[in-house]
Amino acid sequence: MTLLNRQIIFTSMMFFCLGAFVALADVDPVVVEVHYQNGVKFYKRGLYKKAVREFENTLSLDPQNSEATDYLKKAKSAAENEQVKDARESKNNDIHGLYEEGKGLYLKRDYKAAIDVFNQVLAVKPIDDFASFYKERSEIMIAKQLAREKKVDDKKTGYEDRARIKEEKIKEKKLKELDKQEMLKKRAEIGQERRKAREEKAQAVPAAPSAREERQRIKQEKIDQAKQARELRQEEKKALADEKNAKNEEAKKKKSEIKAQKEEKKQEQINIKELFLKGVEEYGRKEYENAIATFEAVIEAESNGRKLYSSSAERLMAKTRMKMKG
């Protein structure tokens, strides 16, 4: 037997023993103290409801007991808090159960049922991250399911449409083939009738050049005339080309002659220059007679052309003669 049970039994016996005494006499301070002490013990052990009863009994016997009044207030407040706590724990247990149920339905992909469960949670607890998250995920998964179903339906519809279009094309192709065969058959019949008509006409009328043969003859004549004209143009073109080539050859020949003449004159000028320089060297060596002869040769060489060195040769020749006289 626990200490608490012994105290409860003792308290009950005290109440039983004191009941008759209280009925016969005035309030006994001992009884008041017993109720008070029991209330304090219950309060300290967390048995707030029992403590409230004991303190109420104490105050019913001794309304002026301030300590019992204070403890009664504390016990009532603690009892209310405990009741609120119990209610909250019960509520949390219920919400936890709904959590598990909703998550299980979500994992089973029963998203509509999961949304209903999480709506119950949010009705009790409007701000709940867990329930809001799984509700949102369930709505997203439902939307994805609907999108997949729609895609499958669209795909199925597309297959059916393509099959129908393909079948229509095949039918259309068959109809075109039949029309083509019918047209070829009619053409063959018409061609056969025309050949038969031509044969009958040929047998009835004497042979004569047909319009087609006449057209071919005229065409051939035109071709021959065009060929002759083309050959004539080619001959004229060739004659012009030969004439042009002859002129070009003559022009080249003249250019060559002019170039040769220029080269010859250039060479003569080079020779005259060398002859003039020779005379200058002889003048410098004081070979005056030789220098005079050389300068005279320079003047004679330039007598029929450009006179580049003649004036210089005449001046030096005059100086040479003066030096010979001096």
XYZ file of all heavy atoms in Angstrom, residues 37-135:
805
model
N -4.441 20.699 5.532
C -3.202 19.953 5.274
C -3.376 18.958 4.121
O -2.470 18.776 3.297
C -2.761 19.217 6.544
C -2.291 20.140 7.652
C -1.070 20.956 7.252
O -0.241 20.504 6.450
N -0.978 22.173 7.787
N -4.549 18.325 4.082
C -4.802 17.420 2.953
C -4.779 18.184 1.622
O -4.251 17.713 0.601
C -6.152 16.721 3.132
C -6.105 15.657 4.221
O -5.034 15.114 4.506
N -7.240 15.366 4.840
N -5.370 19.382 1.633
C -5.367 20.195 0.408
C -3.957 20.559 -0.023
O -3.614 20.514 -1.222
N -3.126 20.921 0.994
C -1.734 21.271 0.665
C -1.000 20.070 0.083
O -0.249 20.186 -0.911
C -1.018 21.812 1.926
C 0.476 21.983 1.650
C -1.625 23.130 2.370
N -1.208 18.883 0.694
C -0.539 17.674 0.186
C -0.985 17.365 -1.241
O -0.168 17.047 -2.118
C -0.848 16.493 1.105
C -0.182 16.598 2.467
C -0.594 15.429 3.352
C 0.016 15.571 4.751
N -0.407 14.467 5.642
N -2.313 17.424 -1.470
C -2.819 17.152 -2.825
C -2.261 18.168 -3.837
O -1.915 17.829 -4.966
C -4.348 17.188 -2.844
C -4.984 15.992 -2.177
C -6.115 16.140 -1.375
C -4.460 14.715 -2.346
C -6.697 15.054 -0.768
C -5.053 13.623 -1.728
C -6.166 13.785 -0.933
N -2.180 19.427 -3.404
C -1.676 20.482 -4.304
C -0.218 20.216 -4.686
O 0.164 20.337 -5.850
C -1.815 21.844 -3.623
C -1.296 22.988 -4.461
C -2.067 23.539 -5.476
C -0.016 23.500 -4.251
C -1.587 24.576 -6.256
C 0.472 24.542 -5.032
C -0.319 25.073 -6.033
O 0.170 26.097 -6.817
N 0.598 19.850 -3.669
C 2.015 19.612 -3.938
C 2.233 18.378 -4.801
O 3.232 18.294 -5.522
C 2.773 19.470 -2.625
C 2.894 20.792 -1.873
C 3.682 20.633 -0.590
C 3.836 21.977 0.129
N 4.610 21.843 1.380
N 1.311 17.407 -4.714
C 1.439 16.206 -5.544
C 0.822 16.390 -6.935
O 0.847 15.468 -7.740
C 0.777 15.022 -4.846
C 1.585 14.515 -3.662
C 0.876 13.331 -3.019
N 1.695 12.719 -2.010
C 1.809 13.140 -0.756
N 1.133 14.217 -0.381
N 2.586 12.520 0.102
N 0.260 17.555 -7.188
C -0.315 17.811 -8.507
C -1.728 17.320 -8.654
O -2.268 17.314 -9.772
N -2.375 16.923 -7.546
C -3.772 16.481 -7.586
C -4.647 17.698 -7.301
O -5.197 17.868 -6.204
C -4.009 15.362 -6.566
C -3.107 14.130 -6.737
C -3.290 13.157 -5.567
C -3.411 13.429 -8.041
N -4.750 18.547 -8.326
C -5.340 19.863 -8.098
C -6.846 19.796 -7.856
O -7.391 20.584 -7.066
C -5.037 20.768 -9.302
C -3.559 20.922 -9.547
C -2.974 20.444 -10.716
C -2.745 21.533 -8.601
C -1.623 20.579 -10.944
C -1.384 21.678 -8.827
C -0.822 21.192 -9.994
O 0.511 21.326 -10.206
N -7.552 18.888 -8.474
C -8.998 18.790 -8.263
C -9.314 18.377 -6.816
O -10.217 18.941 -6.178
C -9.595 17.795 -9.250
C -9.556 18.283 -10.690
C -10.196 17.278 -11.624
C -10.149 17.778 -13.071
N -10.762 16.804 -14.009
N -8.566 17.383 -6.318
C -8.761 16.965 -4.921
C -8.364 18.084 -3.968
O -9.015 18.317 -2.935
C -7.944 15.714 -4.634
C -8.460 14.486 -5.366
C -7.641 13.257 -4.996
C -8.182 12.021 -5.718
N -7.413 10.805 -5.358
N -7.292 18.806 -4.332
C -6.869 19.925 -3.492
C -7.950 20.991 -3.437
O -8.224 21.585 -2.378
C -5.569 20.508 -4.031
N -8.608 21.245 -4.594
C -9.694 22.236 -4.622
C -10.815 21.818 -3.673
O -11.366 22.644 -2.918
C -10.213 22.408 -6.059
C -11.516 23.193 -6.072
C -9.177 23.116 -6.914
N -11.172 20.519 -3.688
C -12.247 20.059 -2.791
C -11.871 20.248 -1.322
O -12.682 20.694 -0.502
C -12.545 18.582 -3.080
C -13.335 18.351 -4.357
C -13.979 16.971 -4.360
N -12.997 15.903 -4.274
C -12.414 15.342 -5.324
N -12.709 15.768 -6.550
N -11.543 14.373 -5.157
N -10.609 19.927 -0.986
C -10.174 20.051 0.410
C -10.175 21.512 0.848
O -10.624 21.851 1.959
C -8.779 19.454 0.573
C -8.729 17.938 0.431
C -9.544 17.234 1.506
O -9.628 17.751 2.639
O -10.122 16.176 1.194
N -9.680 22.393 -0.019
C -9.654 23.812 0.356
C -11.065 24.385 0.434
O -11.353 25.253 1.278
C -8.808 24.609 -0.642
C -7.337 24.307 -0.540
C -6.588 23.998 -1.663
C -6.690 24.327 0.702
C -5.247 23.717 -1.569
C -5.331 24.043 0.780
C -4.607 23.732 -0.341
N -11.970 23.912 -0.426
C -13.360 24.359 -0.326
C -13.993 23.879 0.978
O -14.753 24.620 1.629
C -14.148 23.844 -1.535
C -13.817 24.589 -2.825
C -14.553 24.027 -4.024
O -15.127 22.919 -3.900
O -14.535 24.671 -5.105
N -13.671 22.627 1.382
C -14.171 22.125 2.682
C -13.603 22.958 3.829
O -14.305 23.261 4.813
C -13.784 20.658 2.858
C -14.560 19.752 1.911
O -15.696 20.083 1.533
N -13.974 18.629 1.517
N -12.308 23.308 3.683
C -11.684 24.127 4.736
C -12.390 25.462 4.862
O -12.711 25.925 5.974
C -10.204 24.342 4.402
O -9.551 23.075 4.298
C -9.521 25.160 5.487
N -12.650 26.106 3.725
C -13.287 27.422 3.753
C -14.758 27.339 4.148
O -15.320 28.318 4.673
C -13.149 28.090 2.376
C -11.717 28.501 1.994
C -11.660 28.970 0.547
C -11.224 29.616 2.924
N -15.381 26.198 3.880
C -16.772 26.054 4.328
C -16.852 25.993 5.844
O -17.840 26.421 6.447
C -17.395 24.806 3.707
O -16.744 23.641 4.200
N -15.783 25.463 6.473
C -15.735 25.399 7.928
C -15.136 26.665 8.524
O -15.507 27.079 9.625
C -14.910 24.178 8.366
C -15.481 22.809 7.948
C -14.499 21.702 8.307
C -16.834 22.552 8.612
N -14.168 27.249 7.767
C -13.487 28.451 8.279
C -13.339 29.443 7.125
O -12.294 29.510 6.468
C -12.119 28.064 8.835
C -11.419 29.254 9.494
O -12.068 30.306 9.648
O -10.207 29.120 9.800
N -14.380 30.221 6.820
C -14.338 31.141 5.675
C -13.253 32.193 5.782
O -12.845 32.763 4.780
C -15.728 31.783 5.681
C -16.589 30.838 6.453
C -15.712 30.219 7.497
N -12.746 32.468 6.948
C -11.745 33.514 7.140
C -10.321 33.005 6.960
O -9.372 33.753 7.177
C -11.906 34.112 8.557
C -13.283 34.667 8.837
C -13.651 35.785 7.885
O -12.782 36.586 7.508
N -14.921 35.847 7.485
N -10.159 31.777 6.573
C -8.820 31.188 6.434
C -8.198 31.714 5.122
O -8.530 31.266 4.025
C -8.917 29.664 6.403
C -7.556 29.012 6.582
O -6.531 29.565 6.165
N -7.542 27.832 7.201
N -7.301 32.693 5.276
C -6.694 33.329 4.093
C -5.749 32.389 3.353
O -5.654 32.414 2.117
C -5.945 34.598 4.515
O -4.926 34.274 5.454
N -5.048 31.548 4.098
C -4.118 30.622 3.449
C -4.872 29.632 2.566
O -4.456 29.319 1.439
C -3.307 29.883 4.513
C -2.368 30.803 5.292
C -1.586 30.043 6.358
O -1.874 28.841 6.540
O -0.696 30.644 6.970
N -6.002 29.129 3.095
C -6.809 28.212 2.286
C -7.354 28.919 1.049
O -7.447 28.331 -0.045
C -7.953 27.650 3.133
N -7.713 30.217 1.246
C -8.218 30.991 0.091
C -7.151 31.106 -0.993
O -7.428 30.912 -2.192
C -8.657 32.382 0.558
O -9.667 32.243 1.569
C -9.216 33.179 -0.610
N -5.924 31.430 -0.578
C -4.832 31.558 -1.559
C -4.566 30.234 -2.262
O -4.412 30.175 -3.494
C -3.561 32.051 -0.864
C -3.717 33.475 -0.338
O -4.593 34.192 -0.876
O -2.958 33.860 0.563
N -4.515 29.178 -1.453
C -4.252 27.865 -2.061
C -5.391 27.435 -2.982
O -5.169 26.778 -4.012
C -4.041 26.807 -0.969
C -2.584 26.593 -0.638
C -2.060 26.991 0.589
C -1.736 25.969 -1.549
C -0.724 26.799 0.898
C -0.396 25.765 -1.238
C 0.109 26.178 -0.023
O 1.434 25.979 0.274
N -6.631 27.824 -2.602
C -7.764 27.472 -3.458
C -7.631 28.137 -4.834
O -7.872 27.512 -5.875
C -9.072 27.902 -2.785
C -10.345 27.621 -3.588
C -10.509 26.125 -3.838
C -11.569 28.182 -2.859
N -7.245 29.420 -4.820
C -7.052 30.117 -6.102
C -5.963 29.441 -6.931
O -6.115 29.217 -8.139
C -6.689 31.578 -5.850
C -7.829 32.395 -5.268
C -7.383 33.834 -5.020
C -8.516 34.668 -4.423
N -8.075 36.064 -4.162
N -4.839 29.120 -6.246
C -3.742 28.470 -6.968
C -4.162 27.110 -7.509
O -3.837 26.742 -8.651
C -2.537 28.307 -6.050
C -1.871 29.615 -5.658
C -0.688 29.349 -4.729
C -0.018 30.655 -4.300
N 1.122 30.404 -3.372
N -4.889 26.361 -6.683
C -5.304 25.022 -7.093
C -6.280 25.090 -8.269
O -6.198 24.304 -9.223
C -5.940 24.286 -5.910
N -7.230 26.048 -8.190
C -8.176 26.195 -9.309
C -7.444 26.578 -10.604
O -7.724 26.043 -11.684
C -9.224 27.254 -8.968
C -10.287 26.765 -7.999
C -11.333 27.840 -7.775
C -12.459 27.332 -6.870
N -13.499 28.365 -6.657
N -6.506 27.539 -10.465
C -5.751 27.959 -11.652
C -4.947 26.794 -12.226
O -4.925 26.564 -13.440
C -4.822 29.115 -11.281
O -4.036 29.495 -12.399
N -4.291 26.043 -11.328
C -3.504 24.898 -11.785
C -4.398 23.842 -12.414
O -4.039 23.210 -13.420
C -2.716 24.314 -10.617
N -5.597 23.638 -11.816
C -6.525 22.646 -12.370
C -6.995 23.062 -13.760
O -7.099 22.235 -14.679
C -7.721 22.471 -11.435
N -7.285 24.360 -13.906
C -7.697 24.846 -15.228
C -6.571 24.686 -16.250
O -6.802 24.266 -17.388
C -8.108 26.312 -15.123
C -9.414 26.519 -14.362
C -9.739 27.998 -14.185
O -8.905 28.824 -14.626
O -10.796 28.315 -13.622
N -5.348 25.036 -15.819
C -4.201 24.872 -16.738
C -4.001 23.415 -17.123
O -3.690 23.093 -18.277
C -2.930 25.416 -16.091
C -2.963 26.932 -15.948
O -3.667 27.609 -16.704
N -2.239 27.463 -14.977
N -4.184 22.556 -16.119
C -4.028 21.129 -16.402
C -5.102 20.647 -17.369
O -4.841 19.849 -18.270
C -4.102 20.344 -15.095
C -3.753 18.866 -15.269
C -3.748 18.151 -13.935
O -4.587 18.491 -13.087
O -2.899 17.270 -13.738
N -6.309 21.186 -17.183
C -7.397 20.807 -18.086
C -7.117 21.290 -19.510
O -7.332 20.566 -20.488
C -8.711 21.411 -17.565
C -9.939 20.945 -18.339
C -11.223 21.475 -17.726
O -11.181 22.203 -16.726
N -12.345 21.106 -18.306
N -6.618 22.557 -19.580
C -6.267 23.091 -20.903
C -5.150 22.272 -21.540
O -5.171 21.961 -22.737
C -5.852 24.574 -20.785
C -5.268 25.077 -22.096
C -7.040 25.422 -20.381
N -4.165 21.912 -20.720
C -3.048 21.110 -21.222
C -3.525 19.758 -21.720
O -3.103 19.273 -22.775
C -2.016 20.945 -20.114
C -0.763 20.211 -20.556
C 0.234 20.126 -19.411
C 1.482 19.359 -19.840
N 2.446 19.236 -18.721
N -4.433 19.142 -20.921
C -4.971 17.841 -21.345
C -5.736 17.971 -22.657
O -5.626 17.118 -23.550
C -5.890 17.281 -20.257
C -5.111 16.904 -18.995
O -3.874 16.717 -19.112
O -5.729 16.814 -17.918
N -6.512 19.082 -22.736
C -7.272 19.288 -23.977
C -6.325 19.500 -25.160
O -6.549 18.989 -26.262
C -8.200 20.494 -23.820
N -5.234 20.270 -24.894
C -4.274 20.513 -25.971
C -3.588 19.218 -26.392
O -3.378 18.964 -27.581
C -3.240 21.536 -25.513
C -2.301 21.984 -26.633
C -1.252 22.958 -26.141
N -1.838 24.217 -25.701
C -1.847 24.661 -24.442
N -1.288 23.931 -23.488
N -2.401 25.810 -24.125
N -3.211 18.416 -25.382
C -2.566 17.141 -25.714
C -3.506 16.235 -26.491
O -3.108 15.570 -27.450
C -2.106 16.452 -24.430
C -0.911 17.143 -23.772
C -0.504 16.456 -22.480
O -1.226 15.511 -22.072
O 0.524 16.854 -21.887
N -4.790 16.247 -26.053
C -5.771 15.441 -26.780
C -5.923 15.937 -28.218
O -5.977 15.159 -29.173
C -7.112 15.501 -26.054
O -8.098 14.803 -26.779
N -5.947 17.282 -28.312
C -6.060 17.888 -29.645
C -4.837 17.557 -30.496
O -4.946 17.197 -31.679
C -6.207 19.399 -29.484
C -6.353 20.166 -30.780
C -6.507 21.639 -30.474
C -6.575 22.468 -31.739
N -6.689 23.915 -31.438
N -3.644 17.664 -29.864
C -2.412 17.339 -30.602
C -2.385 15.877 -31.017
O -1.916 15.535 -32.108
C -1.187 17.668 -29.755
C -0.989 19.166 -29.598
O -1.436 19.942 -30.442
N -0.345 19.585 -28.519
N -2.891 15.016 -30.114
C -2.939 13.593 -30.464
C -3.871 13.364 -31.650
O -3.571 12.581 -32.558
C -3.396 12.768 -29.260
C -2.335 12.735 -28.167
O -1.143 12.850 -28.461
N -2.750 12.590 -26.912
N -5.013 14.082 -31.615
C -5.945 13.953 -32.742
C -5.300 14.455 -34.032
O -5.418 13.821 -35.094
C -7.226 14.744 -32.454
C -8.014 14.145 -31.290
O -7.783 12.953 -30.984
O -8.833 14.868 -30.697
N -4.616 15.625 -33.941
C -3.959 16.183 -35.133
C -2.856 15.252 -35.622
O -2.692 15.040 -36.831
C -3.399 17.587 -34.815
C -4.552 18.572 -34.630
C -2.479 18.076 -35.927
C -4.122 19.947 -34.167
N -2.105 14.675 -34.669
C -1.046 13.743 -35.064
C -1.629 12.537 -35.793
O -1.071 12.055 -36.795
C -0.268 13.298 -33.825
C 0.902 12.423 -34.143
N 2.053 12.908 -34.736
C 1.090 11.079 -33.988
C 2.906 11.917 -34.917
N 2.344 10.792 -34.465
N -2.763 12.063 -35.283
C -3.424 10.952 -35.971
C -3.857 11.335 -37.375
O -3.725 10.550 -38.325
N -4.367 12.583 -37.501
C -4.751 13.057 -38.837
C -3.524 13.201 -39.734
O -3.590 12.932 -40.940
C -5.487 14.395 -38.719
C -6.874 14.339 -38.068
C -7.413 15.745 -37.845
C -7.846 13.536 -38.934
N -2.389 13.658 -39.132
C -1.141 13.728 -39.901
C -0.817 12.368 -40.519
O -0.549 12.249 -41.723
C 0.022 14.135 -38.999
C 0.094 15.593 -38.626
C 0.862 16.007 -37.543
C -0.602 16.552 -39.347
C 0.933 17.340 -37.184
C -0.536 17.887 -38.995
C 0.227 18.282 -37.909
O 0.302 19.597 -37.564
N -0.805 11.361 -39.662
C -0.429 10.022 -40.113
C -1.404 9.505 -41.166
O -1.009 8.916 -42.179
C -0.376 9.062 -38.918
C 0.697 9.399 -37.892
C 2.092 9.314 -38.482
O 2.307 8.475 -39.383
O 2.959 10.098 -38.054
N -2.689 9.748 -40.912
C -3.698 9.279 -41.868
C -3.540 9.977 -43.223
O -3.553 9.336 -44.282
C -5.097 9.544 -41.303
C -6.216 9.029 -42.203
C -7.592 9.356 -41.646
O -7.666 9.931 -40.536
O -8.589 9.039 -42.324
N -3.378 11.312 -43.162
C -3.236 12.068 -44.415
C -1.978 11.684 -45.172
O -1.997 11.520 -46.400
N -0.861 11.522 -44.450
C 0.388 11.145 -45.115
C 0.288 9.750 -45.722
O 0.791 9.489 -46.819
C 1.537 11.213 -44.118
C 2.899 11.038 -44.765
C 4.013 11.245 -43.765
C 5.373 11.067 -44.438
N 6.478 11.243 -43.466
N -0.388 8.843 -44.981
C -0.576 7.498 -45.526
C -1.390 7.518 -46.813
O -1.059 6.831 -47.788
N -2.449 8.322 -46.816
C -3.260 8.443 -48.040
C -2.451 9.068 -49.172
O -2.589 8.681 -50.337
C -4.507 9.292 -47.747
C -5.537 8.652 -46.806
C -6.587 9.675 -46.407
C -6.202 7.448 -47.474
N -1.600 10.042 -48.823
C -0.752 10.680 -49.847
C 0.206 9.661 -50.461
O 0.389 9.618 -51.680
C 0.026 11.832 -49.219
C 1.001 12.491 -50.156
C 0.585 13.470 -51.045
C 2.347 12.120 -50.162
C 1.474 14.073 -51.919
C 3.242 12.713 -51.033
C 2.804 13.688 -51.904
O 3.693 14.270 -52.778
N 0.818 8.830 -49.596
C 1.747 7.821 -50.101
C 1.030 6.760 -50.930
O 1.625 6.174 -51.836
C 2.496 7.170 -48.937
C 3.436 8.107 -48.150
C 4.014 7.395 -46.945
C 4.557 8.627 -49.050
N -0.248 6.523 -50.611
C -1.036 5.573 -51.406
C -1.588 6.213 -52.681
O -2.314 5.572 -53.433
C -2.200 5.040 -50.569
C -1.759 4.139 -49.432
C -2.963 3.694 -48.614
C -2.537 2.820 -47.443
N -3.690 2.410 -46.606
N -1.275 7.514 -52.852
C -1.706 8.273 -54.034
C -3.217 8.499 -54.078
O -3.791 8.698 -55.142
C -1.242 7.593 -55.326
C 0.272 7.495 -55.436
C 0.695 6.897 -56.741
N 2.155 6.829 -56.835
C 2.823 6.350 -57.876
N 2.147 5.900 -58.931
N 4.140 6.320 -57.884
N -3.824 8.447 -52.883
C -5.240 8.809 -52.790
C -5.283 10.283 -52.389
O -5.561 10.648 -51.240
C -5.937 7.929 -51.751
C -7.453 8.103 -51.800
O -7.927 8.961 -52.579
O -8.156 7.400 -51.049
N -4.999 11.136 -53.374
C -4.753 12.544 -53.070
C -6.021 13.283 -52.640
O -5.958 14.179 -51.791
C -4.128 13.223 -54.291
C -2.836 12.579 -54.721
C -2.715 11.959 -55.961
C -1.736 12.568 -53.876
C -1.532 11.354 -56.352
C -0.544 11.969 -54.262
C -0.447 11.355 -55.498
O 0.728 10.766 -55.873
N -7.158 12.934 -53.187
C -8.395 13.614 -52.798
C -8.722 13.357 -51.332
O -9.071 14.283 -50.581
C -9.539 13.144 -53.690
C -9.416 13.610 -55.133
C -10.615 13.181 -55.948
C -10.495 13.680 -57.393
N -11.647 13.261 -58.219
N -8.611 12.080 -50.911
C -8.864 11.751 -49.506
C -7.837 12.434 -48.601
O -8.164 12.917 -47.510
C -8.824 10.238 -49.306
N -6.574 12.501 -49.059
C -5.534 13.167 -48.274
C -5.863 14.650 -48.097
O -5.685 15.215 -47.013
C -4.180 13.005 -48.962
N -6.368 15.285 -49.150
C -6.744 16.708 -49.049
C -7.863 16.894 -48.031
O -7.852 17.841 -47.231
C -7.157 17.239 -50.435
C -5.920 17.349 -51.340
C -7.830 18.598 -50.325
C -6.242 17.682 -52.776
N -8.843 15.976 -48.015
C -9.933 16.072 -47.033
C -9.391 15.986 -45.608
O -9.806 16.751 -44.719
C -10.945 14.953 -47.278
C -11.675 15.128 -48.610
O -11.726 16.282 -49.095
O -12.172 14.127 -49.155
N -8.443 15.063 -45.377
C -7.874 14.902 -44.030
C -7.099 16.151 -43.623
O -7.244 16.666 -42.505
C -6.969 13.654 -43.988
C -6.225 13.586 -42.653
C -7.797 12.393 -44.182
N -6.281 16.666 -44.531
C -5.486 17.854 -44.191
C -6.377 19.094 -44.035
O -6.029 20.015 -43.284
C -4.411 18.084 -45.252
C -3.318 17.055 -45.214
C -3.008 16.300 -46.335
C -2.609 16.814 -44.050
C -2.010 15.347 -46.301
C -1.606 15.863 -44.008
C -1.308 15.120 -45.133
N -7.514 19.120 -44.710
C -8.472 20.209 -44.477
C -9.027 20.149 -43.056
O -9.272 21.186 -42.428
C -9.612 20.132 -45.491
C -9.199 20.677 -46.849
O -8.315 21.533 -46.935
N -9.815 20.188 -47.916
N -9.224 18.929 -42.533
C -9.667 18.786 -41.140
C -8.611 19.341 -40.183
O -8.932 20.017 -39.205
C -9.937 17.312 -40.828
C -11.110 16.717 -41.590
C -11.304 15.247 -41.288
O -10.829 14.750 -40.264
N -12.004 14.545 -42.178
N -7.324 19.046 -40.494
C -6.245 19.569 -39.651
C -6.239 21.095 -39.688
O -6.143 21.765 -38.652
C -4.884 19.010 -40.112
C -3.750 19.650 -39.315
C -4.845 17.504 -39.949
N -6.355 21.656 -40.888
C -6.306 23.115 -41.028
C -7.538 23.788 -40.435
O -7.484 24.958 -40.054
C -6.167 23.482 -42.511
C -4.833 23.069 -43.155
C -4.876 23.280 -44.657
C -3.678 23.859 -42.546
N -8.649 23.060 -40.376
C -9.831 23.627 -39.721
C -9.592 23.789 -38.221
O -10.061 24.748 -37.599
C -11.046 22.733 -39.974
N -8.836 22.832 -37.640
C -8.518 22.921 -36.208
C -7.337 23.850 -35.978
O -7.314 24.651 -35.044
C -8.210 21.506 -35.655
C -7.805 21.592 -34.182
C -9.423 20.609 -35.816
N -6.337 23.729 -36.864
C -5.101 24.504 -36.728
C -4.813 25.178 -38.072
O -4.144 24.611 -38.933
C -3.957 23.567 -36.335
C -2.676 24.268 -35.961
C -1.622 23.236 -35.571
C -0.305 23.904 -35.224
N 0.741 22.902 -34.920
N -5.332 26.396 -38.277
C -5.239 27.035 -39.607
C -3.809 27.215 -40.108
O -3.557 27.146 -41.299
C -5.926 28.390 -39.400
C -6.814 28.185 -38.219
C -6.111 27.218 -37.332
N -2.881 27.470 -39.194
C -1.481 27.658 -39.606
C -0.717 26.393 -39.243
O -0.316 26.192 -38.086
C -0.868 28.893 -38.928
C -1.652 30.145 -39.299
C 0.592 29.048 -39.328
C -1.209 31.385 -38.565
N -0.565 25.533 -40.212
C 0.144 24.268 -39.994
C 0.967 23.969 -41.249
O 0.408 23.694 -42.315
C -0.855 23.138 -39.723
C -0.160 21.874 -39.262
O 0.531 21.252 -40.098
O -0.287 21.511 -38.081
N 2.276 24.053 -41.118
C 3.158 23.874 -42.277
C 3.058 22.469 -42.858
O 3.047 22.288 -44.080
C 4.609 24.167 -41.880
C 4.800 25.624 -41.499
O 3.985 26.454 -41.957
O 5.753 25.928 -40.753
N 2.983 21.474 -41.975
C 2.940 20.083 -42.441
C 1.690 19.840 -43.284
O 1.758 19.343 -44.414
C 2.969 19.152 -41.230
C 3.029 17.690 -41.581
C 4.237 17.057 -41.787
C 1.862 16.951 -41.722
C 4.284 15.712 -42.119
C 1.901 15.610 -42.048
C 3.120 14.991 -42.245
N 0.530 20.213 -42.735
C -0.725 19.987 -43.451
C -0.786 20.822 -44.723
O -1.233 20.343 -45.780
C -1.906 20.322 -42.545
N -0.323 22.076 -44.638
C -0.347 22.942 -45.829
C 0.540 22.375 -46.923
O 0.170 22.379 -48.105
C 0.122 24.349 -45.454
O -0.740 24.926 -44.499
N 1.724 21.878 -46.527
C 2.658 21.327 -47.517
C 2.052 20.121 -48.231
O 2.024 20.055 -49.469
C 3.964 20.933 -46.823
C 4.911 20.179 -47.704
C 5.669 20.841 -48.658
C 5.032 18.798 -47.604
C 6.538 20.148 -49.486
C 5.898 18.103 -48.425
C 6.651 18.776 -49.365
N 1.542 19.161 -47.445
C 1.019 17.944 -48.071
C -0.282 18.202 -48.822
O -0.568 17.539 -49.829
C 0.831 16.847 -47.024
C 2.096 16.065 -46.792
C 2.903 16.318 -45.699
C 2.503 15.090 -47.698
C 4.078 15.611 -45.495
C 3.671 14.376 -47.501
C 4.461 14.637 -46.396
O 5.621 13.940 -46.215
N -1.056 19.178 -48.358
C -2.260 19.535 -49.119
C -1.870 20.112 -50.482
O -2.431 19.740 -51.525
C -3.087 20.552 -48.339
C -4.353 20.978 -49.069
C -5.091 22.063 -48.323
C -6.304 22.533 -49.129
N -7.021 23.633 -48.463
